[in-house]
Amino acid sequence: MDLDFNNMVPELHYYIHRKCTVNWKIEAGITPFIDITYVIKGKAKYTIGNQEYIVKKGDLLCIPKKTYRAATNIPEDLMECYVVNFFLRDLNGQDVSLPFPVISHIGIHPRLITLFHEIHGEWMQREFGYMLKVRSNMCLILYQVSNLLLNEKRISQEDPRIKNSIRFMSSHYSEPSLTIDKLAKQFDLHPVYFGSLFQQSTGMTFKQYLTSLRLNYAESMLKSGEYGVSEVAIQCGFSDIFYFSRLFKRNKGISPSELFPEKGKGLQLEQGEE
């Protein structure tokens, strides 16, 4: 079964910003947790399972739970790295594993280093709610790593013109004047070329992406129970309520009105909890 990245819950067991000494080593044993190690300097020799590896600056290790692991230093080039040992479960509390290679060369990413630094501060200070903040940073680390290793569209989406376009669309999705011509003009590009670049980067045409943004926001508004269908349609950039309803059902599989929460349901839940 494919891993659902939207439903992973990491629980940190151990963290260290490791600066190896000449006598450093990891004794051979089976890991009871997932080990992610990000090497930012030097080298080291690892044995993982029945394989030996020389890891170096820019390498990311992802050692699965219940895996044989041992390591020793390379004296002439001592390793520095960030290490998190953690358990990973889904929302039902079941253990899950990560679909990452044991060793990946991802290079040095300042954003990833910043996230490890933030865990370092919380882990050392251990102030009120620190585990909640650590867990949130672990989620961001897993997102960054999965984006680097698994997102086939990442490189094309790093085009600043596409990133800025998506950011602009996310804020102005409801405006009828939001067109491909308008966005192309902002970057001094021909609309046809911009449309081709956008589709290559996102896998969708400009119109498909804009419609997806509008319908996703419409879904949130409908689920709140605070707006009528016609009001949702207008606020999400649709002038024709009948067209909006047909489009919504075709894309979401249900009619807009079916998303309204049942009256009194929230109140009943609150009363039942007392």
Side-chain angles (χ1 to χ4, degrees):
M1 183 176 68
D2 292 336
L3 177 60
D4 185 351
F5 281 94
N6 292 320
N7 293 312
M8 295 191 305
V9 182
E11 194 67 43
L12 195 68
H13 170 73
Y14 176 77
Y15 161 83
I16 188 170
H17 179 189
R18 178 177 289 148
K19 298 180 180 180
C20 294
T21 63
V22 293
N23 296 316
W24 172 83
K25 66 177 179 179
I26 295 177
E27 297 289 350
I30 304 297
T31 62
F33 38 66
I34 298 171
D35 176 340
I36 283 185
T37 297
Y38 184 36
V39 183
I40 59 171
K41 184 179 178 181
K43 298 178 181 178
K45 181 187 293 184
Y46 273 76
T47 301
I48 303 170
N50 58 2
Q51 289 269 101
E52 286 193 354
Y53 303 89
I54 300 297
V55 302
K56 60 186 183 302
K57 177 180 177 180
D59 282 349
L60 182 88
L61 291 77
C62 181
I63 305 174
K65 183 178 177 181
K66 298 181 180 179
T67 299
Y68 177 87
R69 175 195 63 167
T72 58
N73 67 32
I74 295 178
E76 61 271 20
D77 197 3
L78 295 175
M79 179 179 66
E80 181 180 350
C81 59
Y82 295 102
V83 181
V84 285
N85 298 157
F86 61 101
F87 302 100
L88 189 63
R89 302 180 178 92
D90 62 22
L91 295 180
N92 295 316
Q94 301 297 311
D95 283 350
V96 295
S97 57
L98 292 167
F100 301 154
V102 172
I103 303 287
S104 305
H105 186 73
I106 62 172
I108 298 300
H109 293 270
R111 175 56 178 155
L112 200 51
I113 291 174
T114 297
L115 291 169
F116 279 111
H117 270 302
E118 290 176 0
I119 285 183
H120 180 86
E122 297 301 330
W123 194 254
M124 296 294 293
Q125 297 167 35
R126 306 205 176 188
E127 296 180 349
F128 172 79
Y130 80 98
M131 281 304 297
L132 183 61
K133 296 179 73 174
V134 163
R135 193 177 298 117
S136 68
N137 276 298
M138 270 303 305
C139 287
L140 288 171
I141 286 172
L142 290 176
Y143 166 76
Q144 290 287 335
V145 171
S146 61
N147 192 39
L148 287 167
L149 297 179
L150 304 177
N151 186 1
E152 296 177 354
K153 299 176 182 176
R154 177 184 62 83
I155 295 176
S156 58
Q157 287 180 346
E158 287 180 350
D159 186 318
R161 296 168 296 185
I162 300 303
K163 291 179 70 173
N164 289 332
S165 295
I166 291 173
R167 189 177 297 117
F168 185 86
M169 292 168 70
S170 298
S171 300
H172 300 268
Y173 62 90
S174 63
E175 299 174 7
S177 60
L178 181 56
T179 64
I180 192 169
D181 289 351
K182 181 176 181 178
L183 273 181
K185 188 176 181 180
Q186 289 187 4
F187 302 104
D188 295 320
L189 297 174
H190 190 281
V192 174
Y193 175 72
F194 176 77
S196 176
L197 184 66
F198 190 93
Q199 186 167 4
Q200 180 183 357
S201 300
T202 65
M204 289 187 273
T205 66
F206 173 84
K207 185 176 181 180
Q208 288 171 334
Y209 199 95
L210 178 58
T211 298
S212 177
L213 288 177
R214 288 172 168 173
L215 292 179
N216 286 341
Y217 195 73
E219 184 177 7
S220 296
M221 292 182 70
L222 291 163
K223 284 181 176 178
S224 74
E226 299 170 9
Y227 310 90
V229 174
S230 59
E231 188 175 8
V232 169
I234 292 171
Q235 290 202 30
C236 292
F238 297 97
S239 57
D240 186 335
I241 183 175
F242 299 107
Y243 171 72
F244 164 71
S245 297
R246 290 196 304 272
L247 190 64
F248 191 94
K249 188 169 185 177
R250 186 167 72 233
N251 283 267
K252 300 294 185 179
I254 58 175
S255 66
S257 59
E258 290 180 77
L259 280 176
F260 290 144
E262 295 178 23
K263 292 183 178 180
K265 186 175 181 181
L267 179 61
Q268 290 170 6
L269 287 174
E270 290 176 2
Q271 292 173 341
E273 291 171 351
E274 293 179 352

